[in-house]
Amino acid sequence: MFDYETLRILWWALMGVLLIAFALTDGYDLGVAALLPFVAKTDAERRLVINSVGPTWEGNQVWFILGGGAIFAAWPFVYAVSFSGFYLAMFVVLASLILRPVGFKYRSKRPDAAWRSRWDWALFVDGFVPALVFGVAVGNVLTGAPFRLDSDLRAFFDGSFLGLFTPFTLLCGLLSVAMLVLHGSAWLAIKIERGVVHDRAKRFGTVAGLLSVALFAAGWIFVAFTDIGFRIVGDVDPFGPSNPLRTTSEIAAGAWLNNYAIHPWMRVAPVLGFGGALLALVGIHRRWEAAAFTGSSASAIGIIATVGLSMFPYILPSSIDMHSSLTVWNASSTPKTLGIMLFVTAVFLPIIIAYTAWAYRVMWGRVTTHAVATNPDFY
């Protein structure tokens, strides 16, 4: 039904859709967890916050699994290089995420205040650390990862865990934290009863929104005026075999902004990143809670789309070997694999979306202090 070039573009777009879906759903879970010790001071307040995400957090993680599976099947070179080279970073993220189900299940097993406080801080780690590391990972993708491929296409990673943290990648990490904290505070605004916790969430959301705008602008300046960026040298064959060694790249300052000059419609993404955050701030200030959540969602979509559109056709450039960079045209699976997966996705993705929408509809409504105190099914 589709030629090889179209299949590659479709799967590049689908990978972006899955990442955005993860940020929109599990992203507010991470933001709420990062806010937990600060917006809720008493045990009753913290249970109120925890149960705002209690009914949906497990289902939201399906997008994380789908994203990893899509990379594995559609972009095997990207999966091999990233999951092996960033192994320690992945381990830190997974170890942090494991704290969430354990914390939810165990914190209320004992009435001891110290016991519950320790689990609450564990939940904070579950929210803050993945948000930071995900942003740092994106920063490393923009600057290029220190990997190379030999003549047999075996990957060698020459970096270290601490080497992942540079001024620019930390800026990206902090932007990720601010973006998800804004999203989490907007979720609390529409999900919990109005009161002291609601008001604290609004204050933290205001700070996070302002930081999102400032850090996004700082990242844009960093990309525009430093030597961050890559471009392909020579002709590109969108129908060619998946062999990264057939492509040559070069470092070019400001190259990540070239797509916006060639395709002006792409400017919608950064506008959405800034505009969504500003809409969220207005919604928080005016008590337009639906507008605040819509704005935080739009900002997350815009920020993530800005990265993907800026880098196209790159997926994971190499900073040490100009013949090893992975692009949409040289790192995909075969046409048959992409075609079969596209058919399966076309069948099952609408089912997942429909079920998720139904689950949210059934479990919609504000969480109240009375419900938390009287409902035996709450955490």
Side-chain angles (χ1 to χ4, degrees), residues 136-161:
V136 168
V138 171
N140 277 276
V141 170
L142 286 166
T143 58
F147 72 93
R148 55 188 173 83
L149 302 173
D150 68 7
S151 58
D152 295 322
L153 297 180
R154 293 178 300 179
F156 297 87
F157 192 83
D158 294 341
S160 64
F161 177 70

Side-chain angles (χ1 to χ4, degrees), residues 48 87 94 98 132 194 196 222 237 280 293 306 319:
L48 184 70
Y87 179 81
L94 290 176
I98 288 170
L132 179 69
R194 291 182 175 89
V196 62
F222 220 117
D237 183 8
F293 189 72
T306 296
S319 60

Side-chain angles (χ1 to χ4, degrees), residues 38-61:
F38 308 105
V39 300
K41 302 301 182 181
T42 66
D43 182 66
E45 291 176 352
R46 291 185 175 180
R47 290 190 66 206
L48 184 70
V49 172
I50 289 171
N51 283 284
S52 71
V53 299
T56 55
W57 70 269
E58 287 181 289
N60 291 340
Q61 293 192 104

Side-chain angles (χ1 to χ4, degrees), residues 22 25-38 49-50 53-54 57-58 60-61 64 89-105 107 117-134 176-177 180-181 379:
F22 172 68
T25 55
D26 206 46
Y28 70 72
D29 294 335
L30 298 178
V32 168
L35 285 168
L36 177 62
F38 308 105
V49 172
I50 289 171
V53 299
W57 70 269
E58 287 181 289
N60 291 340
Q61 293 192 104
F64 185 58
M90 298 281 187
F91 181 83
V92 169
V93 169
L94 290 176
S96 301
L97 291 176
I98 288 170
L99 291 174
R100 186 190 306 174
V102 179
F104 281 176
K105 299 295 185 181
R107 77 169 301 277
S117 178
R118 285 191 291 268
W119 283 116
D120 291 337
W121 282 103
L123 291 172
F124 162 78
V125 171
D126 157 71
F128 178 82
V129 171
L132 179 69
V133 175
F134 285 143
S176 175
V177 172
L180 296 183
V181 167
Y379 291 117

